Amino acid sequence: MLFRSIWKTSDALSAAPTWTAVDNNASANPVPNRYVTRIALQNATGSIAFVTLGGFSGDNVLRTVNGGLSFSDVTGGNGPNALPSIPVRGIALHPDSTTRWFVGTEWGVYQTRDGGLTWLPMLSGPPAVSVDEVTIVPGSRRLLAATHGRGMWSEIG
């Protein structure tokens, strides 16, 4: 049985924050029933956000533009430049571009420059190794990737 849910709040700093189900696998269920690996917010209000998923499926990067009411697959579909159907363990959003994102996957780091229409492996990055985390160093354009057993990798993006 899968125990996964996504919740949000708009008053997190209050003494008693209110939580609303985005996906509770019951009345709210817009996300496929797989392990949620990361959630990333693209704007301060949280209306634009990403959810990445584990599993060997083709829709492991989802985007919402309405605060989680609905999600769209941004993996590029099934074409030759689509993100492979592999687990996605992390996502980093480029600080200067709303359409450039990086994901850490079972087989390395991939990037899109066109909002998820096409994805390509980072050829200058780590080899085809499991990447457990990707992040942009705050205040910079430096991408960091933490691999499983092959150390850390860094590149200015």
Side-chain angles (χ1 to χ4, degrees), residues 16-34:
T18 310
W19 292 91
T20 305
V22 171
D23 188 320
N24 62 7
N25 295 310
S27 59
N29 197 21
V31 175
N33 292 330
R34 291 196 299 280

Side-chain angles (χ1 to χ4, degrees), residues 57-128:
S57 296
D59 56 350
N60 281 338
V61 182
L62 303 173
R63 182 174 185 239
T64 182
V65 295
N66 56 17
L69 295 175
S70 63
F71 287 83
S72 58
D73 175 11
V74 289
T75 60
N78 296 318
N81 291 323
L83 190 64
S85 296
I86 53 179
V88 176
R89 296 199 172 94
I91 184 167
L93 310 176
H94 196 280
D96 298 331
S97 172
T98 59
T99 60
R100 188 171 183 200
W101 319 317
F102 306 91
V103 293
T105 74
E106 181 82 8
W107 295 328
V109 177
Y110 285 77
Q111 74 169 317
T112 181
R113 292 177 179 256
D114 58 12
L117 296 174
T118 59
W119 291 85
L120 295 170
M122 297 283 294
L123 297 177
S124 61

